[in-house]
Amino acid sequence: MKKCIVFSLLFLSFLTVFADNKPNVVVILVDDMGYSDIGCYGGEIETPNLNALAAKGLRYSSMYNTSKCTTTRSSLLMGRYVIGPSYAANYSHGLTIGEVAKRAGYRTLWSGKNHSSIRPPERGFDRFYGFQGGACNFWNPGPSLKGGGKFPHIKAYEWMVDDKWLKTYIPEDPNYFMTDAITDNALAWLNEYEKEEKPFFLYLAYNAPHWPLHAPDKDIEKYKGKYDAGYQEIRKTRYKRMIDLGIIDPKVAPLFPEEIDPWDSLSDSEKKLEAERMEVHAAMVDNLDQNIGRVIKKLKEQGEFENTLILFLADNGASHERDKRAFKNYTPTGKEKMGGVMSYECIGKNWARVSNTPFAKHKVSSHEGGVCTPMIAHWPKGIEGQNKWFHEPAHLVDILPTVGDLLGVEYPQEAKAIEGVSLKPSFSGKSLSLRNVPIGFNFAKGKGVRVGSWKLVNFGKKDNWELYNLAKDRTETKNLAKLMPEKLEDMKKAYAFWLAKTTEGLNLPIRKKK
Ligand SMILES: [Ca+2]
């Protein structure tokens, strides 16, 4: 540890000289969003700000997460694979991404969702606004309406607001909307630290478009009628748009068999409700894009945009969860305003599979629809070229080593080794370094490993592995397990190796399910 401290002190002494060259870093993580929801990945949802970042930056076609909120968010924090279903993690084995940035003398800021068991101010973050848990009512995360009254509040999580921990949080502002509030806090910090010499690391951890489906009326209004054509038509249209935009090659990425209920089997009232659900989902993504636009505007006003690395990605694929409208002790009357504080809606499995077009499955699956996320990297001073794609597989455990690499922080050897590799070579179109452990997946029923173009995957079946060559079959449509038994065995060994490396020496505490 002494070496590291000496190194850090030496590094800090040079920091003032090199401060101008060090980029700011903004990591934007969104929640339960499908691979093709945003415009620059083929979606019909209006996302002009993200599209502009993509047009001037770099898009990743095979970026992976862990298929679930809490494990993704913990993996991003620690630069290691945190696996499920026990939500077990050990945060004492190394540095958080905030601690890495802090070692480089950065101002470290985190606004939004946590969903790990650490407390951000104790683990490298100067400032934190947000909540410790998973899902919230976007209009009011507290346990009751202001002034009292029942409503679908999910769970009252611990919050930090204005640098104080609160057991629950009922906002004073009658117009409070969480996506806006997460941005407001981040912008206030950027104003507060504008004159400061040191660069900043900002983690914008949004919880949209996770259920419940909540959005401002003006944003929902834009999407009225847009989903009336139903699951099959919207999915086909998306797929065609992805081909037309050159995002996928239909020869190697056929549309995965749909596994979706026929739209025509729904009654008129069911169709209306289903279409409205997707309208609000679209509004939530649109609203996210508007908020990201506010951050971009601020960076431009402050003259920081050119030397800020912005990474945008999702924590898992679109969610199939909770098709039913009733929630715990709250049963809706059916008259609640869609998207409002009293409503509790989810897109459900059918729309989730549309959101994840052209891939298979959804959140918690290790198939591509669960684990593959869009990712945009934008950094005019650090990324060569514009409107580029990077096709090698990468995983969000790579983000911490990327930040360490860019900021010049040596990861302490005493700590459990990080498992990702730096993404910096991708910024100039070069291959990533060879990995010590392959990219792997394990959450509940989902298991998998990716080595080169090969992927082994299983969803809930005992030793019933599927094998795919993603170079020829990007959408996992041709299972080669029976045709290629030797390859299958090799990949099973790779998965076992990954699982052993991921868990070794951590003495993971197992959190019992309540
Ligand atoms: Ca999530």
Side-chain angles (χ1 to χ4, degrees), residues 30-33 67-70 72-73 113 115 206-207 210 314-317 319 321 363:
V30 301
D31 207 339
D32 288 20
M33 192 189 78
S67 84
K68 183 79 172 176
C69 316
T70 180
T72 279
R73 288 163 194 266
K113 173 169 167 173
H115 220 182
Y206 290 110
N207 56 323
H210 193 295
D315 66 352
N316 50 255
S319 170
E321 294 165 326
K363 178 176 182 177

Side-chain angles (χ1 to χ4, degrees), residues 294-407:
R294 295 170 63 207
V295 176
I296 291 169
K297 184 166 173 275
K298 176 63 67 183
L299 293 172
K300 286 181 175 170
E301 285 169 2
Q302 295 186 336
E304 300 289 351
F305 188 61
E306 296 293 308
N307 198 26
T308 297
L309 168 65
I310 300 174
L311 294 174
F312 169 89
L313 72 164
D315 66 352
N316 50 255
S319 170
H320 61 300
E321 294 165 326
R322 298 183 195 272
D323 282 298
K324 295 198 171 65
R325 306 181 75 197
F327 174 68
K328 293 188 181 169
N329 298 324
Y330 180 83
T331 306
T333 63
K335 291 180 182 167
E336 289 78 11
K337 190 177 84 168
M338 180 65 79
V341 67
M342 298 300 284
S343 71
Y344 181 89
E345 298 287 348
C346 316
I347 58 171
K349 76 175 172 65
N350 291 314
W351 283 124
R353 284 168 177 172
V354 176
S355 275
N356 295 328
T357 303
F359 295 137
K361 304 287 190 282
H362 44 67
K363 178 176 182 177
V364 308
S365 167
S366 302
H367 290 84
E368 295 289 276
V371 292
C372 196
T373 170
M375 186 165 93
I376 304 167
H378 180 275
W379 179 20
K381 280 196 175 172
I383 292 177
E384 290 178 19
Q386 297 186 348
N387 200 21
K388 299 263 187 184
W389 283 87
F390 187 75
H391 295 298
E392 276 180 33
H395 192 285
L396 60 75
V397 294
D398 299 337
I399 292 177
L400 182 147
T402 306
V403 169
D405 191 10
L406 295 176
L407 275 50

Side-chain angles (χ1 to χ4, degrees), residues 2-288:
K2 230 181 219 172
K3 254 187 194 171
C4 295
I5 292 166
V6 172
F7 177 84
S8 298
L9 290 174
L10 279 173
F11 183 78
L12 286 173
S13 66
F14 287 111
L15 196 72
T16 43
V17 179
F18 294 110
D20 286 348
N21 298 322
K22 291 284 177 190
N24 307 302
V25 177
V26 179
V27 175
I28 306 171
L29 187 68
V30 301
D31 207 339
D32 288 20
M33 192 189 78
Y35 185 78
S36 55
D37 274 338
I38 58 176
C40 52
Y41 275 75
E44 66 289 331
I45 302 172
E46 293 175 33
T47 54
N49 295 296
L50 289 167
N51 298 354
L53 293 180
K56 300 276 185 187
L58 182 61
R59 274 169 285 181
Y60 294 71
S61 62
S62 297
M63 181 75 189
Y64 290 108
N65 52 43
T66 73
S67 84
K68 183 79 172 176
C69 316
T70 180
T71 43
T72 279
R73 288 163 194 266
S74 299
S75 298
L76 172 62
L77 268 183
M78 303 309 300
R80 319 183 23 95
Y81 294 98
V82 175
I83 64 171
S86 56
Y87 306 142
N90 184 334
Y91 302 97
S92 63
H93 60 260
L95 304 182
T96 68
I97 199 165
E99 287 163 340
V100 167
K102 206 154 178 60
R103 283 192 177 209
Y106 273 53
R107 176 64 62 189
T108 49
L109 312 165
W110 176 349
S111 189
K113 173 169 167 173
N114 182 344
H115 220 182
S116 78
S117 59
I118 69 153
R119 288 186 157 214
E122 293 166 9
R123 293 302 304 266
F125 287 88
D126 295 323
R127 306 293 290 273
F128 175 64
Y129 165 83
F131 61 109
Q132 292 292 76
C136 278
N137 187 310
F138 284 78
W139 298 105
N140 176 0
S144 65
L145 292 169
K146 203 177 163 200
K150 265 188 153 187
F151 78 122
H153 77 267
I154 305 165
K155 194 177 174 188
Y157 295 112
E158 197 178 18
W159 276 72
M160 179 170 257
V161 180
D162 296 333
D163 303 324
K164 291 185 190 72
W165 284 109
L166 307 173
K167 278 194 174 167
T168 60
Y169 177 43
I170 302 173
E172 287 295 317
D173 180 357
N175 298 314
Y176 180 92
F177 185 66
M178 205 179 296
T179 308
D180 297 337
I182 289 169
T183 312
D184 291 343
N185 277 271
L187 297 184
W189 292 330
L190 294 186
N191 282 336
E192 184 179 337
Y193 297 117
E194 183 176 5
K195 299 277 186 288
E196 195 170 65
E197 282 294 313
K198 41 168 113 165
F200 61 83
F201 174 85
L202 170 63
Y203 178 26
L204 275 166
Y206 290 110
N207 56 323
H210 193 295
W211 49 261
L213 296 171
H214 286 161
D217 290 345
K218 68 175 175 47
D219 297 326
I220 300 173
E221 199 55 41
K222 284 169 76 173
Y223 294 93
K224 282 286 170 208
K226 288 241 175 169
Y227 294 97
D228 290 355
Y231 318 126
Q232 281 78 13
E233 277 306 307
I234 301 292
R235 188 165 183 259
K236 270 187 230 160
T237 309
R238 266 199 195 191
Y239 182 65
K240 185 176 181 307
R241 196 180 303 109
M242 294 181 91
I243 296 167
D244 292 346
L245 293 171
I247 294 167
I248 53 164
D249 176 356
K251 290 194 203 84
V252 298
L255 189 56
F256 184 83
E258 63 182 40
E259 298 181 335
I260 296 173
D261 297 332
W263 185 252
D264 287 340
S265 68
L266 273 56
S267 68
D268 286 350
S269 60
E270 285 169 337
K271 283 180 184 168
K272 182 172 176 290
L273 174 62
E274 281 294 274
E276 284 178 351
R277 286 172 161 166
M278 197 58 182
E279 287 167 8
V280 185
H281 175 80
M284 291 177 91
V285 175
D286 186 306
N287 178 276
L288 268 172

Side-chain angles (χ1 to χ4, degrees), residues 447-472:
K447 298 178 183 62
V449 69
R450 177 149 181 189
V451 181
S453 68
W454 290 93
K455 185 169 168 197
L456 183 77
V457 62
N458 189 343
F459 188 59
K461 293 169 189 165
K462 198 178 177 200
D463 204 32
N464 190 11
W465 293 95
E466 300 164 25
L467 177 70
Y468 300 102
N469 180 357
L470 299 191
K472 294 181 176 172

Side-chain angles (χ1 to χ4, degrees), residues 481-492:
K482 286 195 174 121
L483 292 172
M484 304 184 73
E486 284 180 17
K487 189 74 188 172
L488 179 69
E489 287 309 308
D490 285 350
M491 290 296 285
K492 282 163 79 170

